[in-house]
Amino acid sequence: MLTCRICEGPLREICDFGRHPLSGGFLRPDEIEREFFFRLAIGICGECSMVQLIEEVPRQLMFRNDYPYLSSGSTVMRKHFQQTAEYFLRTELTGPDPFIVELGCNDGVMLRTVAEAGVRHLGVEPSRGVADIARSNGVRVSTDFFQESSAKSFYAENGPADVVYAANTVCHIPYMESIFRGLDALLAPGGVFIFEDPYLGDIVQRTSFDQIYDEHFYFFSATSVRAMARHFGFELVDVERLPVHGGEVRYTVARAGRRPISAAVTTLLAEEEAAGISDTATLTGFVERVHKISTDLVDLLEKLRAEGRTVVGYGATQKSATVTNFCGIGPDLVSFICDATPSKQGRLAPGSHIPVCPPERFADPYPDYALLFAWNHAEEIIAKEQKFREAGGRWIRYVPDVHII
Ligand code: SAH
Ligand code: TMP
Ligand code: ZN
């Protein structure tokens, strides 16, 4: 029997997406032969409702020295994290000598504002390349995985943390028992653990199935996070919906009984109950829509190819690995993908082996159609690439369904 990675309850498979590569595994041509694959499938726990991957990919394969994702690549996200830092400085970090720890600080997009304010901080970032960039931005970083053992040494060295924060990182960590033990060691008695991740409610509602890939181990809801916090002796005390990355929730967790539970928690739990977020029928409907998107997208791309139209991808996102590999989209349907991240350029996208090129290639000459893999940055990218529209180019989107804009 499959069991839940949080509570060991029975895990029921929801969807099997088949064989998938590492979503961050951008390859040199000589690496194709050795490409790593695993079974991408999700299930839901009958006890705590946590939606999770069924197969776990070893963390050292994903979070490597050359981890390709750079958080500062989007203007919208830079602003989001600057505002987040300012919010912490105004609210939780007002004591005599406050201390904040961030898990998965990446290139320091959030902590650089904290560092500039002269507030004590520590970024925990196992991927050395991005950790070094954070250091060059004036951020103090430990190149470590956050877990019970490292958390205990952070406490020994720095004392208690007022805030432990993580964006798009907690859902990447299967070993949650070790995380909560680490929090128990590191957090001040009245401290808070604040984390934001893609929201199951938005994934299901928008059929954004490309949020499902190796790095995203958990798909959180208020219902499952409340159960998880309780399971480890903590309590979910606040939630806030965020518009970034296609819909996220910021969860605030505290030691049980230390903070009042906000009305927003009760409201979101009631909404999830009313929407039947953990019901078989809801999840079956989601899976049916995923299959329809896949069929519609491949039909459209094949039709455009038959008509002699050119199609390129925009944004070699980790999400695009799920779309290309699940739908079976290769360089015959999408000739290349433009991406501003230097370490992805000149490489082949994982599994699909579609070449990744710098954004300058986009206008040289403009294609007839651009498949917007980075749909979560749509506003920013469409504004930046306005000349493409003016030249008669059209964008293809596949969330919440396949459509041309
Ligand atoms: N917070 C950034 C980065 C998210 S990407 C943002 O929101 O844009 C996820 C990051 O988590 C990666 O940089 C990865 O190296 C890091 N990570 C993975 N496992 C971790 C762990 N156990 N502890 C701390 N960071 C971890
Ligand atoms: P994300 O959806 O996981 O944040 O990844 C976005 C990807 O898209 C990342 O590889 C960077 C790329 N990108 C561009 O190439 N140009 C842009 O303007 C933006 C916002 C992102
Ligand atoms: Zn469970």
Side-chain angles (χ1 to χ4, degrees):
M1 191 184 68
L2 296 169
T3 54
C4 172
R5 196 76 165 73
I6 300 287
C7 78
E8 294 180 358
L11 197 63
R12 184 172 57 75
E13 189 166 309
I14 299 168
C15 186
D16 183 349
F17 293 88
R19 256 174 104 248
H20 282 247
L22 298 174
S23 63
F26 292 85
L27 308 164
R28 289 189 310 265
D30 63 300
E31 291 172 320
I32 289 181
E33 291 294 307
R34 287 175 282 132
E35 192 166 16
F36 172 91
F37 285 92
F38 74 108
R39 185 173 86 98
L40 182 67
I42 53 168
I44 183 164
C45 173
E47 291 289 329
C48 73
S49 299
M50 185 65 81
V51 175
Q52 57 200 274
L53 292 191
I54 288 175
E55 223 174 83
E56 180 179 335
V57 173
R59 64 186 188 178
Q60 67 277 9
L61 294 183
M62 299 184 283
F63 310 118
R64 310 165 314 247
N65 290 348
D66 61 346
Y67 182 68
Y69 184 69
L70 292 176
S71 301
S72 294
S74 143
T75 319
V76 172
M77 292 312 297
R78 280 203 299 275
K79 190 162 161 223
H80 169 76
F81 287 121
Q82 186 189 333
Q83 287 170 344
T84 300
E86 286 163 356
Y87 168 77
F88 290 147
L89 291 169
R90 247 189 352 260
T91 55
E92 300 290 340
L93 302 175
T94 55
D97 181 22
F99 178 46
I100 178 169
V101 175
E102 184 183 11
L103 321 186
C105 71
N106 199 272
D107 58 12
V109 67
M110 193 288 284
L111 281 181
R112 61 186 304 170
T113 304
V114 175
E116 279 158 19
V119 167
R120 258 191 332 128
H121 63 276
L122 179 68
V124 185
E125 177 48 73
S127 302
R128 187 170 300 276
V130 293
D132 284 342
I133 301 175
R135 285 190 191 98
S136 71
N137 287 327
V139 173
R140 186 174 162 241
V141 187
S142 171
T143 311
D144 260 313
F145 284 98
F146 187 86
Q147 56 194 4
E148 184 180 4
S149 53
S150 58
K152 284 182 169 158
S153 57
F154 301 143
Y155 177 77
E157 202 184 323
N158 304 280
D162 301 287
V163 177
V164 174
Y165 171 71
N168 308 298
T169 296
V170 178
C171 77
H172 292 56
I173 308 180
Y175 40 100
M176 212 45 78
E177 181 170 359
S178 176
I179 296 298
F180 274 90
R181 283 179 197 264
L183 288 167
D184 193 31
L186 181 60
L187 270 183
V192 276
F193 176 38
I194 300 177
F195 59 100
E196 58 199 60
D197 286 288
Y199 178 47
L200 179 67
D202 288 312
I203 294 173
V204 170
Q205 200 218 332
R206 301 176 187 197
T207 322
S208 44
F209 69 104
D210 54 352
Q211 293 284 11
I212 302 166
Y213 54 88
D214 56 350
E215 293 177 22
H216 287 176
F217 190 85
Y218 292 115
F219 303 89
F220 295 136
S221 62
T223 308
S224 62
V225 169
R226 181 177 64 159
M228 173 172 81
R230 272 198 187 149
H231 187 76
F232 297 117
F234 284 74
E235 196 165 49
L236 175 64
V237 296
D238 198 15
V239 289
E240 183 189 355
R241 291 187 77 158
L242 304 172
V244 296
H245 288 316
E248 301 207 326
V249 170
R250 178 178 287 170
Y251 304 92
T252 303
V253 164
R255 291 180 203 281
R258 294 295 304 209
R259 295 224 180 179
I261 297 175
S262 78
V265 173
T266 320
T267 306
L268 191 56
L269 287 168
E271 265 179 50
E272 291 180 358
E273 176 83 40
I277 201 172
S278 315
D279 295 352
T280 304
T282 308
L283 298 168
T284 309
F286 167 75
V287 174
E288 282 167 3
R289 294 194 304 279
V290 172
H291 282 102
K292 174 153 171 43
I293 289 179
S294 170
T295 312
D296 289 353
L297 184 56
V298 172
D299 285 353
L300 173 63
L301 295 173
E302 286 179 344
K303 176 174 146 282
L304 294 174
R305 181 179 57 185
E307 291 171 356
R309 311 277 182 199
T310 50
V311 182
V312 311
Y314 204 107
T317 58
Q318 255 89 333
K319 293 184 284 295
S320 69
T322 295
V323 180
T324 53
N325 288 283
F326 180 65
C327 305
I329 297 169
D332 54 326
L333 292 176
V334 172
S335 34
F336 60 90
I337 307 175
C338 317
D339 195 288
T341 316
S343 64
K344 295 182 182 180
Q345 297 163 0
R347 303 275 179 131
L348 301 171
S352 69
H353 305 156
I354 301 173
V356 181
C357 301
E360 296 73 48
R361 265 295 295 281
F362 190 48
D364 187 26
Y366 282 124
D368 299 312
Y369 291 83
L371 178 54
L372 186 55
F373 286 122
W375 54 266
N376 45 314
H377 303 290
E379 238 175 84
E380 182 173 343
I381 290 173
I382 292 172
K384 186 188 290 184
E385 299 290 0
Q386 213 183 328
K387 289 213 178 95
F388 168 59
R389 291 299 291 270
E390 289 164 10
R394 311 283 302 270
W395 293 99
I396 302 171
R397 292 193 58 165
Y398 52 86
V399 167
D401 50 24
V402 177
H403 58 283
I404 296 173
I405 49 172

